[in-house]
Amino acid sequence: MTKETGCIKAAALTSFCGEIHTLPEKELSQCALCPATMGNWVVNEGLSIFVILVWLGLNAFLFWYYYKAYDVPVKFHYSRELLGSALAWARAPAACLNFNCLLILLPVCRNLLSFLRGSSACCSTRIRRQLDRNLTFHKMVAWMIALHTAIHTIAHLFNVERCVDARVEAKGTIQAALSELGDKSGETYLNFVRKKISNPEGGLYVAFTYLAGLSGVIITLALILIITSSTKTIRRSYFEVFWYTHHLFVVFFIGLVIHGAGRIVRGQTAESLKVHNPQTCGKNFSQWGKIPSCPIPQFAGNPPMTWKWVVVPMILYFFERLVRFWRSQQKVVITKVVNHPFKTFELQMMKKGFKMEVGQYIFVQCPAVSHLEWHPFTLTSAPEEDYFSIHIRIVGDWTEGLSNACGCDKQEFQEAWKLPKILVDGPFGTASEDVFSYETVMLVGAGIGVTPFASVLKSVWYKYCNDATNLKLKKIYFYWLCRDTHAFEWFADLLQSLENQMQERDNAEFLSYNIYLTGWDESQATHFTVHHDEEKDVITGLKQKTLYGRPNWENEFKTIASQHPSSRVGVFLCGPEALAETLNKQCINNSAADPRGVHFIFNKENF
């Protein structure tokens, strides 16, 4: 079963006209290393790199700090005698795990991000752009959790092996002496393994009968399932697998909180350290309790700390889900279902109190199709309209089920009362909200990636119909790449309306749009070029002629740079990763070194 996308997961973009594959530009030339290019790279990516470096620095600091905290203090002298260096190697990544588990839920709190985006309207667009990279950061934190989990687990495997061996080995070593502590009344144990079972049975016994061992096994398995089901292949081809296994995060966090409740990591108590110096008494372990200077050492377990790290993000996420649930239960009325060509249909809906901005997206559930699945769709309506709409291409079982439930498979008129119940959560903010913050913008959509820009262009049309004197946006360069002609049909009417509106207001230069057919061969293109001199394009009916092949992005950027020499040009993409890489490089290469020159600011839709 396939996930439906409305410009969803640009990396897994499915277009109206099939998959858009754009090869990256040539590698940067030697000039790419010049100071000007580096400066432009800093302008576009500097804040993101700074955030990542701070995050990596905090991870490195926590690892170093907690490694030293267990490798140096005298409190853990006997713990190190029993476990060796694996003690510090287990505790250092545990601290990093706590820190990253604090962060992992925040990037997926969609309502929180929308609130921050709205409250930061007075801030720089560069700051707001970081919120649009939430899923990228979420994935980076997830991989960091996986790395520290691996280190933590391997270190504890060595710890368990040493504890089990020390418990069953013959007397005469300090490890055996430390393991025997706690067998008599009045003593406290250091070695948490209390039964004398040799390895490997002893290790398995610890793993499946102790709270720390069992919870560790469960959360590790949950993490493996979450990460392996999050690969691009699984997300695109088996979205339900990704969706359901990702909710194992509940099991993961519960296990994480209780993991340390067993207090198996133990150190010498402060009172015991006052009367028993391990650095001197450790050499006379056979005399413990027999001489006044070396009484029996006493130990206590470290209190669990993980809950202190994750309680705030867990509460935030809990309220996030409550808000989603409350909002999704509000009544949604389907006012119109429109069948478009090429297995695409449009839902126009109304919902009390629904307010949106351009380019935002919603999550949709249809109980008649599935009670659990929610799918994201970009809004194609404008804020000025009295309804909100989404365009859906039938690409899998869920979208086909929704299409059939809405009567798209029938020829006769569908009665309103027969339409299915729809639940809607959102809207949520995206990079496209910042379109009106620039005087000049480039909008690039690949296939289905045109949907957020439908909302933008509709809003522009309404603003011009009313009064565009206060509109900061002065110039739009719109590019649409598609494999064949079918996808143009539903969007051409909007472009034609805009084209006519701009001409009526004597501002035809406001919108410059280019439509590219990327899937045609030379013979097909030649057949239509004979009509090139006609007033309107034979495919779209627009005055702007359809182009064939792919844009020469370097020429496009250089042309725009020459026409807007002192502007900040917002570049907005909803499309695949290869195209994103190309446009991002062009933004860097074609931005001026002079702060007063042209600068291209790259923005990409992420869902």
Side-chain angles (χ1 to χ4, degrees):
M1 197 175 288
T2 308
K3 176 188 177 183
E4 168 16 81
T5 62
C7 167
I8 311 307
K9 295 282 185 194
L13 179 73
T14 306
S15 70
F16 279 124
C17 349
E19 194 77 15
I20 294 291
H21 293 287
T22 306
L23 294 175
E25 296 282 316
K26 293 180 180 179
E27 292 297 320
L28 292 174
S29 63
Q30 291 183 351
C31 183
L33 301 177
C34 67
T37 302
M38 289 300 295
N40 298 333
W41 179 80
V42 170
V43 168
N44 274 277
E45 305 296 337
L47 187 55
S48 297
I49 299 302
F50 174 76
V51 171
I52 292 172
L53 288 177
V54 169
W55 169 65
L56 291 173
L58 288 172
N59 273 280
F61 169 76
L62 287 171
F63 194 98
W64 170 82
Y65 179 84
Y66 279 92
Y67 185 92
K68 290 295 184 182
Y70 286 88
D71 194 52
V72 174
V74 68
K75 173 184 178 179
F76 296 106
H77 178 86
Y78 286 134
S79 302
R80 292 191 294 272
E81 287 287 348
L82 180 65
L83 302 174
S85 61
L87 170 66
W89 278 103
R91 299 312 303 157
C96 294
L97 275 171
N98 290 337
F99 171 61
N100 286 284
C101 288
L102 178 152
L103 298 175
I104 190 71
L105 290 177
L106 299 180
V108 291
C109 290
R110 297 192 293 265
N111 289 290
L112 175 63
L113 294 179
S114 294
F115 170 77
L116 293 175
R117 169 174 276 282
S119 63
S120 62
C122 59
C123 301
S124 167
T125 54
R126 292 190 184 95
I127 295 177
R128 295 202 297 274
R129 284 171 63 212
Q130 306 314 308
L131 300 177
D132 300 322
R133 302 180 178 183
N134 58 317
L135 292 182
T136 300
F137 186 65
H138 176 73
K139 294 172 188 176
M140 293 174 66
V141 172
W143 284 115
M144 186 65 77
I145 288 175
L147 172 64
H148 289 299
T149 298
I151 299 172
H152 181 75
T153 303
I154 292 170
H156 268 318
L157 288 176
F158 284 102
N159 289 335
V160 169
E161 181 186 28
R162 293 188 63 140
C163 284
V164 171
D165 288 343
R167 190 69 177 132
V168 299
E169 71 180 20
K171 296 182 179 181
T173 65
I174 188 171
Q175 289 79 17
L178 290 169
S179 297
E180 289 177 353
L181 295 176
D183 289 347
K184 300 176 182 178
S185 61
E187 296 179 351
T188 53
Y189 67 90
L190 174 62
N191 189 341
F192 67 90
V193 178
R194 307 314 302 156
K195 288 195 174 184
K196 295 183 178 182
I197 306 174
S198 60
N199 279 314
E201 292 82 1
L204 293 173
Y205 179 82
V206 169
F208 292 101
T209 60
Y210 282 70
L211 177 62
L214 186 59
S215 62
V217 170
I218 292 173
I219 61 180
T220 301
L221 290 175
L223 183 64
I224 291 172
L225 288 172
I226 290 171
I227 290 179
T228 54
S229 65
S230 300
T231 60
K232 186 184 296 186
T233 302
I234 297 295
R235 290 200 316 270
R236 293 176 63 181
S237 303
Y238 307 98
F239 178 70
E240 288 74 16
V241 175
F242 160 75
W243 179 258
Y244 294 132
T245 55
H246 233 61
H247 282 77
L248 288 173
F249 82 92
V250 176
V251 176
F252 178 84
F253 271 90
I254 292 174
L256 195 69
V257 169
I258 67 173
H259 183 57
R263 302 192 179 194
I264 64 171
V265 177
R266 303 173 68 81
Q268 195 172 350
T269 63
E271 293 76 13
S272 177
L273 285 170
K274 294 176 183 178
V275 296
H276 181 112
N277 187 340
Q279 293 176 328
T280 56
C281 293
K283 300 174 184 177
N284 301 309
F285 61 88
S286 60
Q287 300 300 312
W288 289 348
K290 299 178 182 178
I291 55 177
S293 59
C294 291
I296 300 293
Q298 301 296 320
F299 301 92
N302 284 359
M305 299 293 292
T306 299
W307 69 270
K308 296 180 180 180
W309 288 84
V310 301
V311 64
V312 172
M314 287 177 69
I315 290 174
L316 282 174
Y317 191 77
F318 175 74
F319 281 104
E320 164 82 13
R321 296 305 290 254
L322 279 182
V323 170
R324 292 186 196 177
F325 177 77
W326 171 77
R327 201 157 51 181
S328 68
Q329 296 306 305
Q330 296 174 337
K331 185 177 180 181
V332 176
V333 178
I334 301 176
T335 58
K336 185 184 288 187
V337 180
V338 182
N339 257 328
H340 289 291
F342 203 60
K343 300 178 69 176
T344 303
F345 65 100
E346 175 186 359
L347 292 183
Q348 295 183 8
M349 296 167 281
M350 296 182 70
K351 180 180 178 181
K352 185 178 180 180
F354 187 90
K355 295 180 180 180
M356 60 164 288
E357 298 294 334
V358 293
Q360 291 187 325
Y361 69 100
I362 59 174
F363 275 79
V364 174
Q365 184 198 81
C366 180
V369 181
S370 171
H371 286 280
L372 296 176
E373 293 183 48
W374 289 84
H375 292 269
F377 297 90
T378 305
L379 291 166
T380 54
S381 52
E384 293 81 1
E385 294 175 312
D386 59 359
Y387 64 89
F388 61 96
S389 65
I390 55 176
H391 282 70
I392 305 169
R393 186 192 170 202
I394 303 172
V395 291
D397 292 348
W398 190 89
T399 49
E400 184 176 5
L402 179 60
S403 171
N404 294 338
C406 293
C408 295
D409 59 333
K410 300 178 178 66
Q411 296 296 325
E412 65 272 12
F413 180 78
Q414 183 83 346
E415 297 289 344
W417 62 272
K418 293 183 179 180
L419 293 175
K421 179 182 178 182
I422 294 290
L423 306 182
V424 170
D425 182 26
F428 302 106
T430 67
S432 296
E433 288 183 52
D434 292 330
V435 163
F436 294 109
S437 300
Y438 297 89
E439 288 190 358
T440 306
V441 297
M442 294 176 63
L443 309 179
V444 183
I448 195 70
V450 75
T451 49
F453 306 134
S455 176
V456 172
L457 295 177
K458 279 185 180 181
S459 186
V460 168
W461 187 85
Y462 278 108
K463 288 180 181 352
Y464 260 86
C465 285
N466 297 322
D467 185 7
T469 55
N470 296 325
L471 190 62
K472 181 179 180 180
L473 184 61
K474 305 300 181 186
K475 179 66 177 179
I476 296 177
Y477 294 93
F478 176 59
Y479 299 84
W480 190 12
L481 286 64
C482 218
R483 291 189 62 84
D484 55 43
T485 61
H486 297 286
F488 296 138
E489 298 180 31
W490 76 273
F491 200 65
D493 289 341
L494 173 60
L495 289 176
Q496 196 164 31
S497 298
L498 277 169
E499 191 175 62
N500 295 335
Q501 183 73 21
M502 299 308 150
Q503 286 179 345
E504 289 175 8
R505 294 182 175 263
D506 197 24
N507 193 12
E509 298 300 318
F510 175 82
L511 174 64
S512 173
Y513 59 90
N514 297 279
I515 301 175
Y516 288 85
L517 274 174
T518 61
W520 280 24
D521 57 32
E522 187 176 352
S523 61
Q524 290 173 301
T526 302
H527 175 72
F528 280 92
T529 53
V530 297
H531 303 283
H532 185 76
D533 293 331
E534 295 184 11
E535 183 181 359
K536 292 187 177 182
D537 186 74
V538 295
I539 296 176
T540 63
L542 300 168
K543 291 188 177 181
Q544 175 68 39
K545 299 299 187 293
T546 300
L547 304 171
Y548 304 96
R550 289 176 171 80
N552 185 325
W553 290 114
E554 185 173 357
N555 288 345
E556 296 294 332
F557 273 81
K558 288 186 182 302
T559 300
I560 294 173
S562 65
Q563 294 178 357
H564 306 276
S566 301
S567 301
R568 293 178 69 253
V569 180
V571 180
F572 295 85
L573 167 70
C574 190
E577 290 294 339
L579 184 55
E581 181 183 353
T582 297
L583 295 182
N584 196 22
K585 286 182 179 180
Q586 291 297 335
C587 286
I588 294 169
N589 291 347
N590 290 281
S591 294
D594 188 345
R596 295 168 296 181
V598 63
H599 288 90
F600 292 92
I601 310 300
F602 182 68
N603 302 269
K604 181 177 181 295
E605 298 290 331
N606 291 291
F607 297 89

